[in-house]
Amino acid sequence: MISRSWKKFLSSCKGVAVPGTLARLANTYAAPCTRTGARRVPAPAAFPRGTRLGEIGASWSRVLREESGAGEQSKGPCAGVCGGAGEECDSCCPHSPMLLPPWDHPQRTAAERRGKWWREKTMASGKAGASEPSNPATEPAEGSPDTSLVLLAVTEGFPPEISLFFSVESRSSRCLNSQLQEAARKKLWALESDDRDVCALFKELSARLVCMQAQEDRFLLTFRTLEEVWKFSTYLTLGYVGSCLEQLLFDQEYWLNCALMEDTEIRVTVDEDRLATIHMSLLLQEGNFFSRAVPGVWQPEQEGEESLQLCKNELIHVKNIGEESKWEGMSLLTGQRGLVPVTALDPIPHPFYQWFLKNYAVGFGISQEISGTTSQSIVKGRCTATEDHRGAAWDELSFSKGDSIEVIGFFIPGLPWFVGKSVSSGSIGFVPTRYISPEACEPLGKGLVFLSEEEKCPLLRIPRNGGEQHFTTLLSDLARTDITSVYRLDGFEPTAMLPKVPSEAVLHGCKDIQLLQSWEEINDLATTSTSELSSPGSDSAPATLEDVLLEKLDDFDDPKFFIDLNAGHMEDADVFDPILTFLNQDSYVPSFQSLYDLSFSFLNSTFYGFSDEDELVLYLETSRNWAKRTHSVWAHVRLCFLLGKLCIKKVKFSQARVYFEEAMSILDRGFGDLPLLAALHVNLASIYLKQNMKHKFSSLLGKTVALLVCLPGRSFSSENELEVMMYVLREAIAVGNAPLEARVCFLIVKLFLQLGKNDEVLPFTEHLQCLSTTLLSPDTSSVPLDAAPILSYLYDKKYLPNIALASARLFVPSGVKGAPTPIWRAGFILQNTSKLLGSQLERSSIPALACFYLKQALHFSCESRAVPIQRTLCAILSRMYLQHGVLDGAVCYAAMAVTLSRLMGEEEAFESSLSLGWMYLLHSQPGPAAAIMWQLLRSLHGTDSVTQGGAVHNLLAIALKGEGQVQKAAENYLRALHKAKETGNKRNQAIALANLGQLSLSHGASQLSELYLLQSAQLYAELQGSEDLEMELVRVLLWLAQAMVNRQRMEDGKLCYELALVFALKWHNVRGQLHITESLCHFYSKVSPNPQASITYHEHWVSLAQQLQDRELEGNVWQTLSQLYEALGTSEALRQSLDCTKQSLRIFIDLEETVKAAEAWLQAGRLYYLMQEDELVEMYFQAAIQTALKWENFSLAMDLYEKAGDTFFNGSRNRDRAVEFYRK
């Protein structure tokens, strides 16, 4: 409910111009709660959970819900806000089906943001001719509402819920896919009864689920903290929310249909204004945030000495000090503090900026060295001088008007300096940007915007423990098989218990024309060298100056200096001549890299012979003194720099400052070694910043920023550079310099990754990705930097499997050398999908979601002619299709693996051929399997491969049995058994005996079968129990139970069934439990009737179906369970039967199973008749009949009329009512 104060405020604010963002907050909720074209949500009516009963009449829905005890109600989000008018207000519904746009960038003024918001709103509502509202920030403040009422409204009456709608669309046609939309809706209905997975998903997405409304295709969410809004809006902008919903709502058949999956996406829609308002309200509640000044609202000179003097758009840090109309503010420009009227505040809307400015504060204000920019972008090339300039210092370039100056690195608008080279004189120095025109410069190139091509690859390279090699090894492990050493039980593969998926659409995707055409070229690869067949991307070496994780430098040719502290030697100039000569070079050489880098590698690569760093410092100090004496300027500078770095390492910043200042004071020609010049400036600036030396820092900042951000590929020299970059990012945000913001954010991410600070880097990487995809790249086809691989890696480390998977799926491999490939993506997706399912990634559980990405990896490996990884991927795809019941696809990819194996060697070819034969057998094609086995037997002739021979004989026997050659099958089983005994392999002996028992059982020899199967079970009992062994034993026990039942040994058969279930329960093997429970239900229902036991196992069957989220199976079992309860005949049993019927009815209605739903309605009516609750009987009968008539199934309706009449006619009460139904 809304507080009275809030209502009073709403009524008082209509038509009143309120300055700043508070105006939008007030006007949003003062606006009428009706609009044209909005989605309608019944309010305050209840939203059914798990049912879809409106289609067959509201009365039937109400009756079912009242009788079943279900029907938890949840108020519509507008109840109490819209006055129960039955329509949802603007704040609850999106204006148009479009994604949330990026948060307004802070370089726009408040008026610009309000204008953009108004244009988007009027376009979305179709009122294109509406006039834009005037800017309240520039209007007089007369009539402004009491600020206390604003805050009271925010804290007491603000409704924090927001609706998230989803729609399943085709990428190619941009139209709704109604079939998949309905499938997603059905899945959501199923999840409504158990919303734990949905709650977990939105918790990961930093939102709180209020309720699901499947019939409206929406989720109702809420937020309680600023961080939740920030994270959720980030995930929304990056496209993760829609991808996560795809992972939640689509089933395996969708993921196996690669063509459909590639063309489909879930688009999510929220009310972006409402989300921004929620964020603003939380800011106001917290009372500690950053804002811009709105001019023209108050006269500071009239407010007294305590009031803060502000400029237009000036950035202020404000805090609530308990006063109603004024808050305490601190100017980020001047650092001054004072009181600021609340009406003069326009809070920064972007959550990242609020977080960054609050968490990375500095001791003094903005320098004003950097200015904002509007339309200019980062450029390179040559520019033209517009005025004469004479350098004031040695490092500044002198030039005349009209001179052509070549930009060294980048020219970034808004910076005071850049490094340039005079084309006429060849001199290099700092160039003031105000004296040149960049019009002749060229942009960085398509898809770059704020970085160079050389910088792009290193950032995309994943750390070793999550990189390409890691996932290549993982894929190889998944493809490994023991088929050449372990026999197979007839028809048994642990994954063969999976349900069979209708494969017509799926097979269209698995028989990829382009892929099959590429296999025709495989024979051409036979002449390819072994090195070319090794692995994809094996020749991809780092091609840049530095990597995300620093590569070890090849320093065999670098000079090394022995530290000799002998007193006599220290006074000998000749001893220091080698190091002074090396360090006194007037330009940069690669050997200097170890001196400047982040990891202090010179301690190991350049100097040796010292026991501790103090000895090295003494040696360098002595060398420095000799450099002074000999006037070796470059050596002197570099030695001061090394001594300063060692001081920083020991946290002696004042001493380091002295060394750096000494180096800067003697340096009179530094552009020959730009890395050294940059390292000196940045390290000295970081110390000034750390020691709060504002004047010195400001004087150095302009040139430092040019060296820091304008030189692509520059190596970092110290962790302290982060502080300078954070300061520059703060200034870029304050002045609204978007190109500089993106560039600095990129460098921050790069340095954080080098330092291994995964937790700290994540917000900046997300922000960089947002900038890349939205703010700086209107053409979405050319994104400057796709940081999705790094984000995926970081999300994985934080154990956010849904988001990590969504990020990896959205990543499109670019083919850039050194960047992650489709093989990395496939491995990463496999690993995280398993985490999502709560299981380890194993050969027996390859998720269908990875199908498309495995095929993309296969295409990539075909192009790179990497045969081993091609074979690996084919084996994985074959196993995946087998597990999901698409046996045609399993055979297809197994055959491809055989073709590829022939290029690798005899052992690989033998293994793949045996796997192909096994696939044929599982696909009930014994003929091709037998042909392969005969060929393999011939290839083993004359070898001593006993185990392999036994494996072939075992599979050949299974094939011969399938062809009806029982005698030959038995002979080959015995040969396999003999070879297993010869090697002492008890597991293979047990399998061969079990196969002999099954062969005997299938031909009526139950006694002989029991003998073989008992011997097999005894051997399994002697083996150490593992899941694979005990699940094989489960299969043997099921066969043994059948043999004993055939011999009328019911108790022994029951014992075998229940023992098999115990093993399946032990390993939490749900599919195995399902198969055994089905057998036990049949046993207790048909073979050895026991109603109570049958009910118990049917109830367990229901729970297994629920775990597997198989709604159709669950509904069928509920229906059977209802019949079992009804057969007991007691009043309590009839009530239980009715509950089961209603459970099945809900499911059949959700699944739109018309016939089954109608029969369930009828069954419920019958049960009410048996329970003598006659007032409900005809109502349920009519519901059954109307269900059939609604779908125009007249034959079903006639049958239902007859059965309804039979219920009355054959009963003991109200027999005359039968006539009414018979007549119809």
Side-chain angles (χ1 to χ4, degrees):
M1 296 296 294
I2 299 179
S3 68
R4 294 181 179 178
S5 299
W6 180 235
K7 289 182 179 178
K8 179 181 177 182
F9 167 69
L10 292 183
S11 60
S12 67
C13 284
K14 294 180 181 179
V16 176
V18 185
T21 302
L22 298 181
R24 295 198 295 276
L25 180 63
N27 293 333
T28 297
Y29 294 98
C33 295
T34 59
R35 66 179 173 85
T36 305
R39 299 197 189 200
R40 308 289 182 175
V41 178
F47 293 102
R49 295 176 61 87
T51 59
R52 192 186 179 193
L53 306 171
E55 295 185 0
I56 52 177
S59 60
W60 313 125
S61 171
R62 185 168 57 254
V63 169
L64 179 63
R65 295 173 63 82
E66 289 172 355
E67 291 297 324
S68 64
E72 180 183 347
Q73 297 183 348
S74 59
K75 290 187 178 181
C78 300
V81 178
C82 300
E87 297 182 4
E88 191 168 321
C89 64
D90 286 350
S91 61
C92 295
C93 283
H95 294 298
S96 60
M98 61 184 186
L99 290 174
L100 181 70
W103 297 88
D104 290 337
H105 203 266
Q107 82 260 21
R108 300 191 182 100
T109 63
E112 289 172 333
R113 286 197 299 274
R114 276 186 288 273
K116 177 179 180 293
W117 169 80
W118 177 260
R119 289 191 296 272
E120 289 181 354
K121 184 172 183 179
T122 53
M123 289 177 64
S125 63
K127 302 175 183 177
S131 60
E132 187 171 325
S134 59
N135 182 7
T138 59
E139 293 181 357
E142 295 180 8
S144 298
D146 186 353
T147 307
S148 62
L149 286 177
V150 177
L151 298 179
L152 184 63
V154 168
T155 55
E156 293 186 6
F158 181 75
E161 294 87 5
I162 189 169
S163 294
L164 175 77
F165 293 89
F166 72 90
S167 60
V168 185
E169 298 182 6
S170 167
R171 298 179 193 270
S172 56
S173 66
R174 308 309 303 171
C175 296
L176 185 73
N177 187 324
S178 56
Q179 185 176 359
L180 279 178
Q181 183 80 21
E182 187 64 24
R185 190 176 295 132
K186 289 179 180 179
K187 180 64 179 288
L188 196 56
W189 286 330
L191 291 169
E192 283 185 343
S193 59
D194 183 3
D195 62 0
R196 286 175 296 180
D197 290 342
V198 188
C199 289
L201 170 62
F202 280 106
K203 181 179 179 181
E204 191 172 324
L205 290 169
S206 294
R208 300 166 188 262
L209 180 68
V210 177
C211 67
M212 295 176 284
Q213 296 166 0
Q215 69 275 25
E216 293 292 329
D217 300 327
R218 79 164 174 176
F219 303 89
L220 197 62
L221 309 175
T222 188
F223 307 94
R224 293 184 184 175
T225 66
L226 287 167
E227 185 177 4
E228 287 179 351
V229 179
W230 166 34
K231 289 295 183 183
F232 181 77
S233 62
T234 300
Y235 300 147
L236 202 61
T237 302
L238 295 177
Y240 297 161
V241 178
S243 293
C244 286
L245 289 181
E246 291 171 7
Q247 293 152 199
L248 175 74
L249 298 177
F250 290 146
D251 60 15
Q252 66 180 31
E253 188 171 2
Y254 167 83
W255 297 112
L256 292 175
N257 189 342
C258 294
L260 177 64
M261 177 256 175
E262 191 174 13
D263 186 54
T264 304
E265 66 175 340
I266 287 184
R267 293 179 64 85
V268 294
T269 311
V270 298
D271 184 341
E272 58 271 20
D273 292 333
R274 183 175 179 79
L275 187 59
T277 307
I278 290 174
H279 174 252
M280 209 64 64
S281 71
L282 292 170
L283 277 179
L284 294 174
Q285 287 182 35
E286 189 176 88
N288 180 3
F289 56 87
F290 290 83
S291 176
R292 293 192 182 276
V294 180
V297 175
W298 89 110
Q299 302 297 326
E301 61 275 7
Q302 300 176 3
E303 296 289 336
E305 295 180 357
E306 294 184 353
S307 294
L308 191 62
Q309 305 291 320
L310 298 174
C311 302
K312 179 180 178 180
N313 278 339
E314 185 175 340
L315 206 57
I316 324 161
H317 184 195
V318 296
K319 294 181 180 179
N320 187 350
I321 57 174
E323 292 192 22
E324 294 182 353
S325 60
K326 292 183 179 181
W327 285 8
E328 181 186 71
M330 184 191 75
S331 169
L332 268 64
L333 178 62
T334 63
Q336 295 179 346
R337 297 178 182 272
L339 297 180
V340 184
V342 176
T343 54
L345 301 179
D346 185 23
I348 296 178
H350 200 305
F352 171 81
Y353 296 149
Q354 292 285 354
W355 169 84
F356 172 76
L357 293 171
K358 193 176 297 182
N359 285 274
Y360 291 91
V362 293
F364 45 83
I366 295 170
S367 68
Q368 294 184 288
E369 287 283 328
I370 299 169
S371 62
T373 182
T374 53
S375 59
Q376 289 181 304
S377 59
I378 300 176
V379 293
K380 62 181 180 178
R382 293 184 178 182
C383 54
T384 305
T386 58
E387 296 183 27
D388 295 341
H389 173 70
R390 293 294 170 262
W394 70 266
D395 58 357
E396 296 181 15
L397 189 66
S398 297
F399 49 84
S400 301
K401 182 177 180 179
D403 283 357
S404 181
I405 300 174
E406 182 179 348
V407 178
I408 304 298
F410 298 150
F411 175 91
I412 301 180
L415 295 187
W417 301 92
F418 70 93
V419 181
K421 177 180 179 181
S422 173
V423 175
S424 58
S425 66
S427 301
I428 300 176
F430 289 109
V431 180
T433 56
R434 65 182 180 275
Y435 296 142
I436 64 99
S437 171
E439 293 179 1
C441 293
E442 59 188 46
L444 299 186
K446 185 178 181 181
L448 295 176
V449 182
F450 56 81
L451 74 166
S452 67
E453 190 67 45
E454 293 74 19
E455 289 178 308
K456 200 170 186 178
C457 302
L459 190 70
L460 294 177
R461 197 167 295 128
I462 309 298
R464 192 166 300 173
N465 60 342
E468 192 92 3
Q469 187 57 48
H470 169 78
F471 288 113
T472 301
T473 303
L474 180 144
L475 292 171
S476 299
D477 291 342
L478 281 180
R480 192 174 296 118
T481 177
D482 59 2
I483 197 167
T484 59
S485 59
V486 178
Y487 296 177
R488 294 293 186 262
L489 281 171
D490 183 7
F492 175 74
E493 180 79 15
T495 55
M497 292 181 180
L498 293 178
K500 307 305 177 187
V501 176
S503 60
E504 183 177 351
V506 174
L507 282 176
H508 178 73
C510 88
K511 294 180 178 178
D512 193 306
I513 303 299
Q514 294 181 354
L515 181 64
L516 292 176
Q517 286 176 347
S518 68
W519 299 117
E520 296 173 2
E521 304 172 3
I522 286 180
N523 290 330
D524 297 337
L525 297 178
T527 57
T528 307
S529 65
T530 305
S531 62
E532 290 179 324
L533 300 179
S534 58
S535 63
S538 59
D539 60 341
S540 59
T544 57
L545 189 59
E546 63 179 341
D547 195 359
V548 173
L549 298 178
L550 290 176
E551 301 286 343
K552 291 184 178 180
L553 298 175
D554 184 6
D555 57 358
F556 290 109
D557 297 328
D558 292 347
K560 295 180 183 295
F561 301 98
F562 179 74
I563 306 301
D564 187 357
L565 298 180
N566 185 286
H569 292 166
M570 297 292 281
E571 297 299 323
D572 188 354
D574 293 339
V575 172
F576 296 94
D577 186 61
I579 187 172
L580 294 180
T581 302
F582 170 66
L583 293 178
N584 204 43
Q585 299 179 70
D586 60 0
S587 62
Y588 176 81
V589 294
S591 300
F592 291 159
Q593 176 61 34
S594 63
L595 305 178
Y596 307 154
D597 65 21
L598 186 65
S599 58
F600 294 87
S601 57
F602 68 89
L603 294 175
N604 301 315
S605 63
T606 307
F607 302 99
Y608 69 100
F610 57 94
S611 58
D612 56 38
E613 288 184 14
D614 290 338
E615 292 186 1
L616 176 61
V617 169
L618 178 59
Y619 176 79
L620 293 176
E621 279 281 8
T622 309
S623 301
R624 167 175 159 270
N625 292 332
W626 278 107
K628 284 182 180 180
R629 294 181 193 178
T630 58
H631 303 288
S632 302
V633 175
W634 281 104
H636 187 184
V637 171
R638 291 188 177 105
L639 286 165
C640 285
F641 174 74
L642 291 177
L643 287 164
K645 280 198 70 173
L646 290 172
C647 289
I648 287 178
K649 189 170 185 283
K650 295 181 179 181
V651 201
K652 297 179 178 179
F653 296 113
S654 295
Q655 192 172 346
R657 173 169 53 83
V658 172
Y659 283 122
F660 290 144
E661 287 177 339
E662 180 180 333
M664 293 283 285
S665 67
I666 60 175
L667 190 62
D668 58 359
R669 50 189 186 281
F671 288 93
D673 191 349
L674 266 177
L676 174 63
L677 187 65
L680 277 171
H681 276 77
V682 176
N683 278 277
L684 186 54
S686 70
I687 293 176
Y688 288 154
L689 189 61
K690 191 180 293 289
Q691 295 186 338
N692 205 22
M693 305 175 79
K694 181 178 180 180
H695 178 71
K696 288 188 174 183
F697 176 78
S698 299
S699 64
L700 192 65
L701 179 63
K703 294 176 180 178
T704 300
V705 174
L707 294 169
L708 179 69
V709 303
C710 295
L711 300 180
R714 185 188 69 85
S715 298
F716 299 114
S717 61
S718 170
E719 182 177 345
N720 292 323
E721 292 189 25
L722 272 172
E723 296 184 27
V724 181
M725 288 191 283
M726 294 299 182
Y727 182 89
V728 177
L729 179 58
R730 186 183 182 89
E731 292 225 347
I733 292 171
V735 300
N737 191 326
L740 178 61
E741 177 189 344
R743 176 70 184 166
V744 177
C745 194
F746 164 75
L747 294 173
I748 290 171
V749 168
K750 190 176 178 182
L751 181 51
F752 266 136
L753 288 172
Q754 286 195 17
L755 296 171
K757 297 186 175 182
N758 293 341
D759 289 336
E760 291 90 336
V761 75
L762 182 57
F764 295 95
T765 313
E766 289 174 336
H767 185 57
L768 180 64
Q769 184 77 339
C770 289
L771 292 174
S772 298
T773 56
T774 59
L775 208 59
L776 299 177
S777 182
D779 178 11
T780 55
S781 64
S782 58
V783 176
L785 176 72
D786 187 357
I790 289 294
L791 281 171
S792 303
Y793 172 79
L794 296 174
Y795 291 136
D796 182 42
K797 291 302 176 186
K798 290 181 71 69
Y799 203 82
L800 299 171
N802 280 290
I803 302 175
L805 185 58
S807 176
R809 288 181 50 226
L810 290 171
F811 170 61
V812 179
S814 60
V816 176
K817 189 175 183 181
T821 68
I823 293 173
W824 172 87
R825 182 176 64 170
F828 187 92
I829 287 173
L830 275 170
Q831 177 177 280
N832 275 272
T833 306
S834 298
K835 289 182 180 179
L836 197 59
L837 298 174
S839 61
Q840 294 293 323
L841 180 59
E842 299 174 352
R843 293 189 296 274
S844 60
S845 58
I846 300 173
L849 187 148
C851 180
F852 172 78
Y853 307 100
L854 287 168
K855 289 186 178 182
Q856 290 288 306
L858 183 56
H859 278 288
F860 171 77
S861 59
C862 288
E863 293 173 357
S864 59
R865 292 176 171 258
V867 172
I869 192 66
Q870 288 180 54
R871 174 178 177 266
T872 294
L873 290 166
C874 284
I876 294 173
L877 281 163
S878 177
R879 186 167 291 139
M880 182 204 68
Y881 276 120
L882 170 66
Q883 290 169 13
H884 296 286
V886 188
L887 294 175
D888 287 337
V891 169
C892 176
Y893 281 99
M896 294 177 187
V898 171
T899 307
L900 290 162
S901 299
R902 291 172 184 164
L903 301 174
M904 298 178 62
E906 293 182 1
E907 185 176 344
E908 290 83 1
F910 181 88
E911 180 184 279
S912 295
S913 298
L914 208 58
S915 295
L916 176 60
W918 180 231
M919 293 298 164
Y920 276 124
L921 290 173
L922 293 173
H923 198 18
S924 301
Q925 296 183 22
I932 292 173
M933 296 309 141
W934 286 120
Q935 185 178 0
L936 292 178
L937 279 179
R938 286 192 292 270
S939 69
L940 290 174
H941 184 68
T943 67
D944 57 354
S945 303
V946 179
T947 302
Q948 291 180 343
V952 175
H953 277 294
N954 182 65
L955 292 184
L956 177 59
I958 297 173
L960 293 170
K961 175 200 167 191
E963 292 182 325
Q965 302 182 49
V966 179
Q967 184 64 35
K968 289 184 178 181
E971 291 172 1
N972 279 278
Y973 277 140
L974 290 171
R975 289 192 183 99
L977 178 61
H978 174 73
K979 291 182 179 293
K981 289 181 177 179
E982 186 178 339
T983 59
N985 190 317
K986 289 187 177 181
R987 181 179 181 182
N988 284 346
Q989 293 176 48
I991 292 172
L993 286 167
N995 284 338
L996 278 167
Q998 203 281 332
L999 178 66
S1000 303
L1001 181 64
S1002 63
H1003 288 81
S1006 298
Q1007 185 173 0
L1008 181 61
S1009 171
E1010 184 180 328
L1011 178 63
Y1012 282 129
L1013 292 170
L1014 283 172
Q1015 291 181 32
S1016 174
Q1018 186 175 358
L1019 285 170
Y1020 274 115
E1022 297 173 9
L1023 297 170
Q1024 292 293 326
S1026 66
E1027 183 174 3
D1028 289 343
L1029 284 170
E1030 293 192 351
M1031 292 312 297
E1032 288 175 2
L1033 176 57
V1034 165
R1035 185 73 168 187
V1036 173
L1037 289 171
L1038 291 177
W1039 287 340
L1040 184 58
Q1042 184 61 46
M1044 290 179 171
V1045 168
N1046 289 349
R1047 299 186 62 207
Q1048 301 301 311
R1049 295 172 56 182
M1050 300 303 177
E1051 286 300 317
D1052 292 337
K1054 179 183 71 172
L1055 178 62
C1056 290
Y1057 279 130
E1058 294 180 344
L1059 186 59
L1061 183 58
V1062 168
F1063 284 118
L1065 287 167
K1066 172 185 175 182
W1067 295 103
H1068 306 287
N1069 190 312
V1070 179
R1071 296 288 181 183
Q1073 292 178 53
L1074 189 71
H1075 183 69
I1076 300 162
T1077 303
E1078 185 178 0
S1079 299
L1080 278 165
C1081 288
H1082 178 266
F1083 178 82
Y1084 283 116
S1085 298
K1086 305 293 183 183
V1087 179
S1088 178
N1090 183 332
Q1092 289 297 340
S1094 181
I1095 288 172
T1096 299
Y1097 285 111
H1098 274 85
E1099 288 175 343
H1100 183 57
W1101 198 356
V1102 166
S1103 70
L1104 293 173
Q1106 290 172 342
Q1107 290 181 53
L1108 294 170
Q1109 296 184 354
D1110 189 334
R1111 297 277 282 167
E1112 184 175 3
L1113 176 62
E1114 182 188 350
N1116 292 334
V1117 180
W1118 276 122
Q1119 201 169 36
T1120 305
L1121 194 54
S1122 172
Q1123 295 169 3
L1124 290 172
Y1125 274 118
E1126 182 185 358
L1128 295 179
T1130 65
S1131 58
E1132 181 62 28
L1134 289 175
R1135 180 63 63 183
Q1136 293 280 2
S1137 177
L1138 181 62
D1139 290 342
C1140 294
T1141 297
K1142 290 182 178 179
Q1143 293 284 0
S1144 66
L1145 176 57
R1146 289 192 191 88
I1147 293 171
F1148 293 145
I1149 290 173
D1150 287 349
L1151 297 178
E1152 295 186 348
E1153 293 279 355
T1154 307
V1155 176
K1156 292 182 178 179
E1159 291 176 349
W1161 283 112
L1162 185 71
Q1163 173 68 5
R1166 287 174 178 166
L1167 290 169
Y1168 276 119
Y1169 183 82
L1170 294 174
M1171 295 163 60
Q1172 300 185 16
E1173 297 184 19
D1174 296 343
E1175 67 277 6
L1176 295 174
V1177 175
E1178 287 196 40
M1179 188 176 293
Y1180 274 83
F1181 284 169
Q1182 290 294 340
I1185 294 165
Q1186 287 190 27
T1187 301
L1189 293 175
K1190 179 182 181 297
W1191 295 98
E1192 298 182 355
N1193 192 336
F1194 300 115
S1195 60
L1196 174 62
M1198 291 177 62
D1199 186 50
L1200 293 172
Y1201 274 122
E1202 183 177 355
K1203 290 179 178 178
D1206 289 344
T1207 301
F1208 287 113
F1209 185 77
N1210 296 326
S1212 57
R1213 304 183 317 279
N1214 303 322
R1215 297 187 67 188
D1216 56 319
R1217 295 189 185 178
V1219 177
E1220 180 182 349
F1221 289 96
Y1222 286 149
R1223 282 176 178 172
K1224 296 180 180 180

